[in-house]
Amino acid sequence: MADKNNKSRKLFSPSINLNLNVRGLPQSATLTINEKSAELIRQGRKVIKLGLGQSPFPVPHSVIELLQENAFQKDYLPVMGLYALREAVAGFHHRGEGIPYRAEDVLIGPGSKELMFIVQLVYYGDLVIPTPSWVSYAPQARIIGRQIHWLQTSLANGLRLMPDEIERHCQKDPDRPRIIILNYPNNPSGCSYKTEELKAIARVARKYRLILLSDEIYGELHHKGQHVSIARFYPEGTIISSGLSKWCGAGGWRLGTFIFPESLHWLRDAMAVVASETFTATSAPIQYAAVRAFQGGEDIEQYLFHARRVLRVLGRFISKRLQKIGVAVPEPDGAFYLFANFNAFRSELQSRGIRDSESLCAKLLEDTGVAILPGNVFGRPEEELSARLAYVDFDGSKALAASEKIPAGRQLDIDFLKENCPKMVEAAERICDWMG
Ligand code: GLU
């Protein structure tokens, strides 16, 4: 009997049966910190949740209405997506970038994350990403078995990827197939690119025929509403990735979009094959509702105006507050993230047993209840004392309503934040006090 048990234990052991690319891989850090924070709250702890990057704002009313009206839609939709939605997404990017996209250029998926996985699966090339980068690009490449190359950025350049860095990497093996991911406004730093920088990156991408996956999921959350896509300068090699999750406050709805130039329709078609054999099609009612979001209109513009205005003042306030005590943190241009470097505090932190970003965040959570994510999950060196703060733990409906009462020409101020985003102000103070 004992023998038999041993044998079955062996048969079902993860070290024998798990795919080597998945073995030892932890669950995604963004989702894990969210679940851990929720668990601590269940246990009665007060936690300020700056871990998961989830929009604090509600889904715009008109989009919710359309979802309600379409709850009855029960049929499987085409693999590439509802035609009306593909048209709306093409129109959205056409309006934004002036590129004459068509519905045929669009692929809809259950979240842009899934589409990113599939594009890496079907395209046989290395993944090239800057450090820091969003937590899931590299694990996806690892699961598929692709090589990953991290390119350096610097605080002096606001953690943005510089074209020389791409050039240096590509010239070592010019013909190698590669996907490069450029994400702006950026997760985890909030930084974006100037037009001249985008043009310079586009020149290198064209020279080495890179597939440029331009992750613009935060594009509409550029704090000044000035997002520009690199697709304008490298249209033939750029896929723009977007979705409802961030600017439309609908992360849990799971709807992502890719738009391709005609020259990359073969990639779209290959992705559709995988889609047809895996997720089949994206949820029908969600797709019908998303048409409204991508068509836009005055109410969506107003919603975005106020969301940006709140995020802008919040990002400025927290980054300035941290800078004041000596934390190195670039002021964000968009999205709802800050990437902070606490290396200046290394010796004090070391005396408290903190030697790396993991222990920094674990101890901060334990001592102050502020949950943030360690820099190492964004591809930073283990020992760097860096972390991402997602400034999203506030009542977005309340903040939007309060912003609506303030004239458009006026900036929001600290009193607004104390009233409408009190936990964010408290989190900044707690972090600064804790640093000593
Ligand atoms: N993109 C969000 C983040 O970085 C959450 C969603 C996810 O990671 O899947 O926190």
Side-chain angles (χ1 to χ4, degrees), residues 108-224:
I108 307 295
S112 56
K113 194 173 186 172
E114 184 63 25
L115 295 177
M116 285 171 189
F117 183 76
I118 295 178
V119 78
Q120 292 203 61
L121 182 81
V122 300
Y123 185 76
Y124 188 78
D126 295 356
L127 176 70
V128 179
I129 44 176
T131 157
S133 270
W134 175 52
V135 300
S136 290
Y137 302 138
Q140 288 191 347
R142 177 175 156 184
I143 291 168
I144 295 164
R146 298 282 179 257
Q147 287 218 35
I148 304 157
H149 299 280
W150 293 95
L151 302 186
Q152 289 310 314
T153 63
S154 70
L155 270 165
N157 283 326
L159 300 174
R160 284 165 309 166
L161 183 56
M162 292 293 117
D164 294 355
E165 211 39 58
I166 309 171
E167 171 74 47
R168 239 194 311 280
H169 171 74
C170 292
Q171 68 189 192
K172 286 184 247 161
D173 189 353
D175 296 325
R176 210 176 166 86
R178 300 174 171 100
I179 294 183
I180 184 163
I181 305 184
L182 198 68
N183 167 226
Y184 54 102
N186 183 260
N187 176 5
S189 73
C191 293
S192 200
Y193 289 83
K194 298 188 191 77
T195 303
E196 288 312 312
E197 292 167 336
L198 292 176
K199 283 184 183 167
I201 293 174
R203 274 195 293 274
V204 185
R206 178 171 289 126
K207 179 173 169 189
Y208 293 102
R209 293 175 303 281
L210 306 179
I211 299 288
L212 203 166
L213 179 55
S214 188
D215 181 355
E216 303 181 25
I217 192 105
Y218 301 97
E220 295 297 295
L221 294 182
H222 186 290
H223 294 171
K224 292 185 181 163

Side-chain angles (χ1 to χ4, degrees), residues 227-301:
H227 178 72
V228 169
S229 173
I230 195 166
R232 291 190 199 186
F233 314 117
Y234 182 41
E236 73 277 20
T238 302
I239 303 167
I240 306 177
S241 170
S242 187
L244 288 184
S245 299
K246 310 300 179 183
W247 65 268
C248 202
W253 287 20
R254 309 310 303 132
L255 185 130
T257 67
F258 267 21
I259 193 156
F260 302 78
E262 197 153 347
S263 46
L264 296 180
H265 275 192
W266 55 275
L267 257 183
R268 177 208 62 182
D269 294 343
M271 289 178 68
V273 171
V274 177
S276 76
E277 299 293 9
T278 52
F279 66 78
T280 303
T282 304
S283 158
I286 300 291
Q287 290 203 55
Y288 280 96
V291 174
R292 181 73 188 74
F294 283 98
Q295 274 171 345
E298 191 43 35
D299 66 316
I300 306 268
E301 280 312 309

